[in-house]
Coordinates of all heavy atoms in Angstrom, one line a residue:
N1 N -21.2 -10.2 -58.3 CA -19.8 -9.9 -58.2 C -19.4 -9.3 -57.0 O -20.2 -8.5 -56.4 CB -19.4 -9.0 -59.4 CG -19.6 -9.6 -60.8 OD1 -19.5 -10.8 -60.8 ND2 -19.6 -8.8 -61.7
P2 N -18.3 -9.6 -56.4 CA -17.9 -9.0 -55.2 C -17.6 -7.4 -55.2 O -17.3 -7.0 -56.3 CB -16.5 -9.6 -54.9 CG -16.5 -10.9 -55.7 CD -17.3 -10.6 -56.9
A3 N -17.9 -6.8 -54.1 CA -17.7 -5.3 -54.1 C -16.6 -5.1 -53.1 O -16.3 -6.0 -52.2 CB -19.0 -4.7 -53.7
H4 N -16.2 -3.9 -53.0 CA -15.2 -3.5 -52.0 C -15.7 -2.5 -51.1 O -15.7 -1.3 -51.3 CB -13.9 -2.9 -52.8 CG -13.2 -3.9 -53.6 ND1 -12.5 -4.9 -53.2 CD2 -13.3 -4.1 -55.0 CE1 -12.1 -5.7 -54.2 NE2 -12.6 -5.2 -55.3
G5 N -16.2 -3.0 -50.0 CA -16.7 -2.1 -48.9 C -18.1 -1.6 -49.1 O -18.7 -0.8 -48.3
T6 N -18.8 -2.1 -50.2 CA -20.1 -1.6 -50.5 C -21.0 -2.7 -50.9 O -20.6 -3.6 -51.7 CB -20.1 -0.5 -51.6 OG1 -19.2 0.5 -51.2 CG2 -21.5 -0.1 -51.9
L7 N -22.2 -2.8 -50.4 CA -23.2 -3.8 -50.7 C -24.2 -3.1 -51.7 O -24.7 -2.1 -51.4 CB -23.8 -4.3 -49.5 CG -25.1 -5.3 -49.8 CD1 -24.5 -6.7 -50.4 CD2 -25.7 -5.6 -48.4
Y8 N -24.3 -3.7 -52.9 CA -25.2 -3.1 -53.8 C -26.5 -3.9 -53.8 O -26.5 -5.1 -53.9 CB -24.6 -3.2 -55.3 CG -23.4 -2.3 -55.4 CD1 -22.2 -2.8 -55.1 CD2 -23.5 -1.1 -55.9 CE1 -21.0 -2.1 -55.3 CE2 -22.3 -0.3 -56.0 CZ -21.1 -0.8 -55.6 OH -20.0 0.0 -55.8
V9 N -27.6 -3.1 -53.7 CA -28.9 -3.8 -53.6 C -29.8 -3.3 -54.7 O -29.9 -2.1 -55.0 CB -29.6 -3.4 -52.2 CG1 -31.0 -4.0 -52.0 CG2 -28.7 -3.7 -51.1
D10 N -30.5 -4.3 -55.3 CA -31.5 -4.1 -56.4 C -32.8 -4.6 -55.8 O -33.1 -5.7 -55.7 CB -31.2 -4.8 -57.6 CG -30.0 -4.2 -58.4 OD1 -29.8 -3.0 -58.4 OD2 -29.2 -5.0 -59.0
A11 N -33.7 -3.7 -55.4 CA -34.9 -4.0 -54.8 C -36.0 -4.0 -56.0 O -35.9 -3.4 -57.0 CB -35.4 -3.0 -53.7
P12 N -37.2 -4.7 -55.7 CA -38.2 -4.9 -56.7 C -38.7 -3.4 -57.0 O -39.1 -2.7 -56.1 CB -39.3 -5.7 -56.1 CG -38.5 -6.5 -55.1 CD -37.4 -5.6 -54.5
P13 N -38.8 -3.1 -58.3 CA -39.1 -1.6 -58.6 C -40.7 -1.3 -58.4 O -41.0 -0.2 -58.2 CB -38.9 -1.6 -60.2 CG -38.9 -3.0 -60.6 CD -38.4 -3.8 -59.4
E14 N -41.6 -2.4 -58.3 CA -42.9 -2.0 -58.1 C -43.3 -1.7 -56.6 O -44.4 -1.4 -56.3 CB -43.8 -3.2 -58.6 CG -43.8 -4.5 -57.9 CD -42.5 -5.3 -58.2 OE1 -41.7 -5.0 -59.1 OE2 -42.4 -6.4 -57.5
A15 N -42.4 -1.9 -55.7 CA -42.7 -1.8 -54.3 C -42.8 -0.3 -53.9 O -42.2 0.6 -54.4 CB -41.7 -2.5 -53.5
Q16 N -43.6 -0.1 -52.8 CA -43.7 1.3 -52.2 C -42.4 1.6 -51.5 O -41.9 0.8 -50.9 CB -44.8 1.4 -51.2 CG -46.2 1.5 -51.8 CD -47.2 1.7 -50.7 OE1 -47.0 1.3 -49.6 NE2 -48.3 2.2 -51.1
K17 N -42.1 2.9 -51.6 CA -40.9 3.4 -50.9 C -41.4 4.2 -49.6 O -42.5 4.6 -49.5 CB -40.1 4.4 -51.8 CG -39.5 3.9 -53.0 CD -39.4 2.9 -53.6 CE -39.0 2.7 -55.0 NZ -40.1 2.1 -55.8
P18 N -40.5 4.5 -48.7 CA -39.2 4.1 -48.6 C -38.9 2.7 -48.2 O -39.8 2.0 -47.6 CB -38.6 5.0 -47.6 CG -39.7 5.2 -46.6 CD -40.9 5.2 -47.4
W19 N -37.7 2.2 -48.5 CA -37.2 0.9 -48.0 C -36.6 1.0 -46.7 O -35.8 2.0 -46.5 CB -36.2 0.3 -49.0 CG -36.8 -0.2 -50.3 CD1 -36.7 0.5 -51.4 CD2 -37.4 -1.4 -50.5 NE1 -37.3 -0.3 -52.5 CE2 -37.7 -1.4 -51.9 CE3 -37.8 -2.5 -49.8 CZ2 -38.4 -2.4 -52.5 CZ3 -38.5 -3.5 -50.4 CH2 -38.8 -3.5 -51.7
L20 N -37.0 0.1 -45.8 CA -36.3 0.1 -44.4 C -35.3 -1.0 -44.7 O -35.6 -2.1 -44.9 CB -37.2 -0.2 -43.3 CG -36.6 -0.5 -42.0 CD1 -35.8 0.7 -41.5 CD2 -37.6 -1.0 -41.0
V21 N -33.9 -0.7 -44.5 CA -33.0 -1.6 -44.7 C -32.3 -1.9 -43.4 O -31.8 -1.1 -42.8 CB -31.9 -1.0 -45.7 CG1 -30.8 -2.0 -46.0 CG2 -32.5 -0.5 -47.0
Q22 N -32.3 -3.3 -43.1 CA -31.6 -3.7 -41.8 C -30.7 -4.8 -42.0 O -31.0 -5.8 -42.7 CB -32.8 -4.1 -40.9 CG -33.7 -3.0 -40.5 CD -34.9 -3.6 -39.8 OE1 -35.6 -4.4 -40.3 NE2 -35.2 -3.0 -38.6
L23 N -29.5 -4.7 -41.4 CA -28.4 -5.8 -41.5 C -28.3 -6.4 -40.2 O -28.0 -5.7 -39.2 CB -27.1 -5.2 -42.0 CG -26.0 -6.2 -42.3 CD1 -26.4 -7.2 -43.4 CD2 -24.7 -5.5 -42.6
Y24 N -28.5 -7.7 -40.1 CA -28.4 -8.4 -38.8 C -27.3 -9.4 -38.8 O -27.0 -10.0 -39.8 CB -29.7 -9.2 -38.5 CG -30.9 -8.4 -38.3 CD1 -31.7 -8.0 -39.3 CD2 -31.3 -8.0 -36.9 CE1 -32.9 -7.2 -39.1 CE2 -32.5 -7.3 -36.7 CZ -33.3 -6.9 -37.8 OH -34.4 -6.2 -37.6
T25 N -26.7 -9.8 -37.6 CA -25.9 -11.0 -37.5 C -26.8 -12.2 -37.6 O -28.1 -12.1 -37.5 CB -25.2 -10.9 -36.1 OG1 -26.1 -11.2 -35.1 CG2 -24.3 -9.7 -36.0
T26 N -26.3 -13.3 -37.7 CA -27.1 -14.6 -37.7 C -27.8 -14.9 -36.3 O -28.6 -15.7 -36.3 CB -26.3 -15.8 -38.2 OG1 -25.2 -15.9 -37.4 CG2 -25.9 -15.7 -39.6
T27 N -27.2 -14.2 -35.3 CA -27.8 -14.4 -33.9 C -28.9 -13.3 -33.6 O -29.4 -13.3 -32.6 CB -26.7 -14.4 -32.8 OG1 -26.1 -13.0 -32.9 CG2 -25.7 -15.4 -32.9
G28 N -29.2 -12.5 -34.7 CA -30.3 -11.6 -34.5 C -29.9 -10.2 -34.1 O -30.8 -9.3 -33.9
Q29 N -28.6 -9.9 -33.9 CA -28.1 -8.6 -33.5 C -28.3 -7.6 -34.6 O -27.6 -7.9 -35.7 CB -26.7 -8.6 -32.9 CG -26.3 -7.2 -32.5 CD -24.8 -7.3 -32.1 OE1 -24.1 -8.3 -32.2 NE2 -24.3 -6.1 -31.6
L30 N -29.0 -6.5 -34.4 CA -29.1 -5.4 -35.5 C -27.8 -4.6 -35.5 O -27.4 -4.1 -34.5 CB -30.4 -4.5 -35.2 CG -30.6 -3.4 -36.2 CD1 -30.9 -4.0 -37.6 CD2 -31.7 -2.6 -35.7
L31 N -27.2 -4.6 -36.7 CA -26.0 -3.9 -36.9 C -26.1 -2.6 -37.7 O -25.4 -1.7 -37.3 CB -25.0 -4.8 -37.7 CG -24.5 -6.1 -37.2 CD1 -23.6 -6.8 -38.2 CD2 -23.8 -5.9 -35.8
K32 N -27.1 -2.6 -38.5 CA -27.2 -1.3 -39.4 C -28.7 -1.1 -39.8 O -29.3 -2.1 -40.1 CB -26.3 -1.4 -40.6 CG -26.2 -0.2 -41.5 CD -25.1 -0.5 -42.6 CE -23.8 -0.2 -42.1 NZ -23.4 1.2 -42.2
T33 N -29.2 0.1 -39.7 CA -30.5 0.4 -40.2 C -30.3 1.7 -41.0 O -29.7 2.7 -40.6 CB -31.5 0.7 -39.1 OG1 -31.5 -0.5 -38.2 CG2 -32.8 1.1 -39.5
E34 N -31.0 1.6 -42.2 CA -31.0 2.8 -43.2 C -32.4 2.9 -43.8 O -33.1 1.9 -43.9 CB -29.9 2.6 -44.2 CG -28.5 2.6 -43.7 CD -27.5 2.5 -44.7 OE1 -27.8 2.6 -46.0 OE2 -26.3 2.3 -44.4
A35 N -32.6 3.9 -44.4 CA -33.8 4.2 -45.3 C -33.3 4.4 -46.6 O -32.3 5.1 -46.9 CB -34.6 5.3 -44.8
A36 N -34.0 3.8 -47.6 CA -33.6 4.0 -49.1 C -34.9 4.4 -49.8 O -36.0 3.9 -49.6 CB -33.0 2.7 -49.6
Y37 N -34.7 5.3 -50.7 CA -35.8 5.9 -51.5 C -35.8 5.6 -53.0 O -36.6 6.0 -53.8 CB -35.9 7.5 -51.4 CG -36.2 7.8 -49.9 CD1 -35.2 7.9 -48.9 CD2 -37.5 7.9 -49.4 CE1 -35.5 8.2 -47.6 CE2 -37.8 8.2 -48.1 CZ -36.8 8.3 -47.2 OH -37.0 8.6 -45.9
Q38 N -34.8 4.7 -53.4 CA -34.7 4.2 -54.7 C -34.8 2.7 -54.8 O -34.6 2.1 -53.7 CB -33.3 4.7 -55.2 CG -33.1 6.3 -55.2 CD -34.0 7.0 -56.1 OE1 -34.4 6.5 -57.2 NE2 -34.4 8.1 -55.6
D39 N -34.9 2.1 -56.0 CA -34.9 0.7 -56.2 C -33.5 0.1 -56.2 O -33.3 -1.0 -55.9 CB -35.7 0.3 -57.4 CG -37.1 0.7 -57.3 OD1 -37.7 0.6 -56.3 OD2 -37.7 1.2 -58.3
H40 N -32.5 1.0 -56.4 CA -31.1 0.6 -56.6 C -30.4 1.4 -55.6 O -30.4 2.6 -55.9 CB -30.6 0.7 -58.0 CG -31.5 0.1 -59.0 ND1 -31.6 -1.4 -59.1 CD2 -32.3 0.5 -59.9 CE1 -32.4 -1.6 -60.1 NE2 -32.9 -0.5 -60.6
F41 N -29.7 0.8 -54.6 CA -29.0 1.6 -53.6 C -27.9 0.8 -53.1 O -27.8 -0.4 -53.4 CB -30.0 2.1 -52.4 CG -30.8 1.0 -51.8 CD1 -30.2 0.3 -50.7 CD2 -32.0 0.6 -52.3 CE1 -30.9 -0.7 -50.1 CE2 -32.7 -0.4 -51.7 CZ -32.2 -1.1 -50.6
T42 N -27.0 1.5 -52.2 CA -25.8 0.8 -51.7 C -25.9 1.0 -50.2 O -26.5 1.8 -49.6 CB -24.6 1.5 -52.2 OG1 -24.5 2.8 -51.8 CG2 -24.4 1.4 -53.7
I43 N -25.1 0.1 -49.6 CA -25.0 0.0 -48.1 C -23.5 0.0 -47.8 O -22.8 -0.9 -48.3 CB -25.7 -1.2 -47.4 CG1 -27.2 -1.1 -47.8 CG2 -25.5 -1.2 -46.0 CD1 -27.9 -2.5 -47.5
D44 N -23.0 0.9 -47.0 CA -21.6 0.9 -46.6 C -21.4 -0.3 -45.6 O -22.0 -0.3 -44.5 CB -21.2 2.2 -46.0 CG -19.8 2.2 -45.5 OD1 -19.0 1.3 -45.8 OD2 -19.4 3.3 -44.8
I45 N -20.4 -1.2 -46.0 CA -20.2 -2.4 -45.1 C -18.7 -2.3 -44.7 O -18.1 -3.4 -44.2 CB -20.6 -3.7 -45.7 CG1 -19.8 -3.9 -47.2 CG2 -22.1 -3.9 -45.9 CD1 -19.9 -5.2 -47.7
Q46 N -18.0 -1.2 -44.8 CA -16.6 -1.1 -44.5 C -16.3 -1.5 -43.1 O -15.2 -2.2 -42.8 CB -16.1 0.2 -44.8 CG -16.1 0.6 -46.2 CD -14.9 1.1 -46.8 OE1 -13.9 1.4 -46.0 NE2 -14.9 1.5 -48.1
N47 N -17.1 -1.3 -42.2 CA -16.9 -1.6 -40.7 C -17.5 -2.9 -40.3 O -17.6 -3.2 -39.1 CB -17.3 -0.4 -39.9 CG -16.6 0.9 -40.2 OD1 -15.4 0.8 -40.4 ND2 -17.3 1.9 -40.2
I48 N -17.9 -3.7 -41.2 CA -18.6 -5.0 -40.9 C -17.5 -6.1 -41.1 O -16.8 -6.2 -42.0 CB -19.8 -5.2 -41.8 CG1 -20.8 -4.1 -41.8 CG2 -20.5 -6.6 -41.4 CD1 -21.4 -3.9 -40.4
R49 N -17.4 -7.0 -40.0 CA -16.5 -8.0 -40.1 C -16.9 -9.2 -41.0 O -18.0 -9.3 -41.4 CB -16.3 -8.6 -38.7 CG -15.9 -7.6 -37.6 CD -15.8 -8.2 -36.3 NE -14.6 -9.2 -36.3 CZ -14.2 -9.7 -35.2 NH1 -14.8 -9.6 -34.1 NH2 -13.2 -10.6 -35.2
T50 N -15.9 -10.0 -41.4 CA -16.2 -11.2 -42.3 C -17.2 -12.0 -41.6 O -17.1 -12.3 -40.4 CB -14.8 -12.0 -42.4 OG1 -13.9 -11.1 -43.2 CG2 -15.0 -13.1 -43.3
G51 N -18.1 -12.6 -42.4 CA -19.1 -13.5 -41.8 C -20.3 -13.5 -42.6 O -20.5 -12.8 -43.6
I52 N -21.3 -14.3 -42.2 CA -22.6 -14.4 -42.8 C -23.7 -13.5 -42.1 O -23.7 -13.5 -40.8 CB -23.2 -15.8 -42.9 CG1 -22.2 -16.6 -43.7 CG2 -24.6 -15.9 -43.4 CD1 -22.5 -18.1 -43.7
Y53 N -24.4 -12.7 -42.8 CA -25.3 -11.8 -42.2 C -26.7 -11.9 -42.9 O -26.7 -12.5 -43.9 CB -24.9 -10.4 -42.4 CG -23.6 -10.1 -41.6 CD1 -22.4 -10.4 -42.2 CD2 -23.6 -9.7 -40.3 CE1 -21.2 -10.2 -41.5 CE2 -22.4 -9.4 -39.6 CZ -21.2 -9.7 -40.2 OH -20.1 -9.6 -39.5
I54 N -27.7 -11.3 -42.2 CA -29.0 -11.4 -42.8 C -29.4 -9.9 -43.1 O -29.4 -9.0 -42.3 CB -30.1 -11.9 -41.8 CG1 -29.7 -13.2 -41.2 CG2 -31.5 -11.9 -42.4 CD1 -29.6 -14.3 -42.2
L55 N -29.8 -9.8 -44.5 CA -30.3 -8.4 -44.9 C -31.9 -8.5 -45.0 O -32.3 -9.4 -45.7 CB -29.7 -8.1 -46.3 CG -30.1 -6.8 -46.9 CD1 -29.6 -5.6 -46.1 CD2 -29.6 -6.8 -48.4
R56 N -32.5 -7.6 -44.3 CA -33.9 -7.5 -44.4 C -34.3 -6.2 -45.1 O -33.9 -5.1 -44.6 CB -34.6 -7.6 -43.0 CG -36.1 -7.4 -43.1 CD -36.8 -7.5 -41.7 NE -36.8 -8.9 -41.4 CZ -37.0 -9.5 -40.2 NH1 -37.1 -8.7 -39.2 NH2 -37.0 -10.8 -40.1
L57 N -35.2 -6.3 -46.0 CA -35.7 -5.1 -46.7 C -37.2 -5.1 -46.4 O -37.8 -6.1 -46.6 CB -35.5 -5.2 -48.2 CG -34.1 -5.2 -48.7 CD1 -34.1 -5.4 -50.2 CD2 -33.3 -4.1 -48.2
T58 N -37.7 -4.0 -45.9 CA -39.2 -3.8 -45.7 C -39.6 -2.6 -46.5 O -39.1 -1.5 -46.4 CB -39.5 -3.6 -44.2 OG1 -38.9 -4.6 -43.5 CG2 -41.0 -3.5 -44.0
N59 N -40.6 -2.8 -47.4 CA -41.1 -1.7 -48.3 C -42.0 -0.8 -47.5 O -42.4 -1.1 -46.3 CB -41.7 -2.2 -49.5 CG -42.9 -2.9 -49.5 OD1 -43.6 -2.8 -48.5 ND2 -43.2 -3.7 -50.5
G60 N -42.5 0.3 -48.2 CA -43.4 1.2 -47.5 C -44.7 0.6 -47.1 O -45.4 1.2 -46.3
A61 N -45.1 -0.5 -47.7 CA -46.4 -1.2 -47.4 C -46.2 -2.2 -46.2 O -47.2 -2.8 -45.8 CB -47.0 -1.8 -48.6
G62 N -45.0 -2.3 -45.7 CA -44.7 -3.2 -44.5 C -44.3 -4.7 -45.0 O -44.3 -5.5 -44.2
V63 N -44.2 -4.9 -46.3 CA -43.8 -6.3 -46.8 C -42.3 -6.3 -46.7 O -41.6 -5.6 -47.2 CB -44.4 -6.5 -48.2 CG1 -43.9 -7.9 -48.8 CG2 -45.8 -6.2 -48.3
S64 N -41.9 -7.5 -46.1 CA -40.5 -7.7 -45.9 C -40.0 -8.9 -46.7 O -40.7 -9.8 -47.1 CB -40.2 -8.0 -44.3 OG -40.5 -7.0 -43.6
M65 N -38.7 -8.8 -47.0 CA -37.9 -9.9 -47.7 C -36.5 -10.0 -47.0 O -36.0 -8.9 -46.6 CB -37.8 -9.6 -49.1 CG -37.2 -8.5 -49.6 SD -37.4 -8.2 -51.4 CE -39.0 -7.5 -51.3
T66 N -36.1 -11.2 -46.9 CA -34.7 -11.4 -46.4 C -33.8 -12.1 -47.2 O -34.2 -12.9 -48.1 CB -34.8 -12.1 -44.9 OG1 -35.4 -13.3 -45.2 CG2 -35.6 -11.3 -44.0
S67 N -32.5 -11.9 -47.1 CA -31.5 -12.6 -47.9 C -30.3 -12.8 -47.0 O -29.9 -11.9 -46.2 CB -31.2 -11.7 -49.1 OG -30.2 -12.4 -49.8
R68 N -29.6 -13.9 -47.1 CA -28.3 -14.0 -46.5 C -27.2 -13.4 -47.4 O -27.2 -13.5 -48.6 CB -28.0 -15.5 -46.3 CG -28.9 -16.2 -45.3 CD -28.5 -17.7 -45.1 NE -28.5 -18.3 -46.3 CZ -27.9 -19.5 -46.5 NH1 -27.2 -20.1 -45.6 NH2 -28.1 -20.1 -47.7
V69 N -26.3 -12.8 -46.7 CA -25.2 -12.0 -47.3 C -23.9 -12.5 -46.7 O -23.8 -12.6 -45.5 CB -25.4 -10.6 -47.2 CG1 -24.2 -9.8 -47.7 CG2 -26.7 -10.0 -47.7
L70 N -22.9 -12.9 -47.5 CA -21.6 -13.3 -47.0 C -20.7 -12.1 -47.3 O -20.6 -11.6 -48.4 CB -21.1 -14.6 -47.9 CG -19.7 -14.9 -47.6 CD1 -19.5 -15.3 -46.1 CD2 -19.2 -16.1 -48.5
I71 N -20.1 -11.6 -46.2 CA -19.1 -10.5 -46.3 C -17.7 -11.1 -46.0 O -17.6 -11.8 -45.0 CB -19.5 -9.4 -45.3 CG1 -20.8 -8.9 -45.6 CG2 -18.4 -8.4 -45.3 CD1 -21.3 -7.8 -44.7
R72 N -16.9 -10.9 -46.9 CA -15.5 -11.4 -46.8 C -14.6 -10.2 -46.8 O -14.2 -9.7 -47.9 CB -15.1 -12.3 -48.0 CG -15.8 -13.6 -47.9 CD -15.3 -14.5 -49.1 NE -16.4 -14.8 -49.9 CZ -16.4 -15.2 -51.2 NH1 -15.3 -15.1 -51.8 NH2 -17.5 -15.4 -51.7
G73 N -14.2 -9.8 -45.6 CA -13.3 -8.6 -45.5 C -14.1 -7.5 -46.1 O -15.2 -7.1 -45.6
T74 N -13.7 -6.9 -47.1 CA -14.4 -5.8 -47.8 C -15.0 -6.3 -49.0 O -15.5 -5.5 -49.8 CB -13.4 -4.6 -48.1 OG1 -12.4 -5.1 -48.9 CG2 -12.9 -3.9 -46.8
E75 N -15.2 -7.6 -49.2 CA -15.8 -8.1 -50.4 C -17.1 -8.8 -50.0 O -17.2 -9.4 -48.9 CB -15.0 -9.0 -51.2 CG -13.8 -8.4 -51.7 CD -13.0 -9.3 -52.7 OE1 -13.3 -10.6 -52.6 OE2 -12.0 -8.9 -53.3
I76 N -18.2 -8.8 -50.8 CA -19.4 -9.5 -50.4 C -19.9 -10.3 -51.4 O -19.5 -10.2 -52.7 CB -20.6 -8.5 -50.1 CG1 -20.8 -7.5 -51.4 CG2 -20.2 -7.5 -49.0 CD1 -22.0 -8.1 -52.1
A77 N -20.7 -11.3 -51.2 CA -21.4 -12.2 -52.1 C -22.7 -12.5 -51.5 O -22.8 -12.8 -50.3 CB -20.6 -13.3 -52.5
S78 N -23.8 -12.5 -52.4 CA -25.1 -13.0 -51.9 C -25.0 -14.5 -51.8 O -24.5 -15.1 -52.7 CB -26.2 -12.5 -52.8 OG -26.4 -11.2 -52.6
L79 N -25.8 -15.1 -50.8 CA -25.9 -16.5 -50.8 C -27.3 -17.0 -51.3 O -28.2 -16.3 -51.1 CB -25.7 -17.0 -49.3 CG -24.3 -16.7 -48.7 CD1 -24.3 -17.2 -47.2 CD2 -23.3 -17.4 -49.5

């Protein structure tokens, strides 16, 4: 479901923490980096322009996963 200015993330619960959370443009520019210590967390996207972005999560063991994210104004949807 779309959110208003916030990206909600549900990470795999069995993974080591902390999560390194990175949001990139499709051209590879890093826009945001955060650390998360829970399996369910939020990312503030209020200042992110409409477009498609890459969300990369890296767990405490160094295992990464990526997902495309569509941000529409202050609403988001996973692709």
Side-chain angles (χ1 to χ4, degrees):
N1 291 338
H4 298 282
T6 303
L7 177 62
Y8 294 89
V9 179
D10 291 321
E14 68 278 357
Q16 279 186 338
K17 295 0 157 248
W19 288 101
L20 173 62
V21 182
Q22 298 170 301
L23 186 66
Y24 292 90
T25 65
T26 55
T27 60
Q29 179 185 3
L30 179 62
L31 298 177
K32 188 175 274 275
T33 300
E34 298 180 8
Y37 295 88
Q38 304 293 324
D39 296 323
H40 310 286
F41 53 91
T42 60
I43 302 168
D44 179 11
I45 57 167
Q46 296 229 356
N47 296 321
I48 305 295
R49 299 179 71 175
T50 298
I52 297 174
Y53 295 88
I54 305 299
L55 178 67
R56 175 178 285 164
L57 301 177
T58 305
N59 69 17
V63 177
S64 294
M65 60 190 79
T66 59
S67 179
R68 289 185 300 162
V69 177
L70 173 63
I71 298 176
R72 286 186 240 155
T74 59
E75 297 185 349
I76 62 95
S78 290
L79 297 179

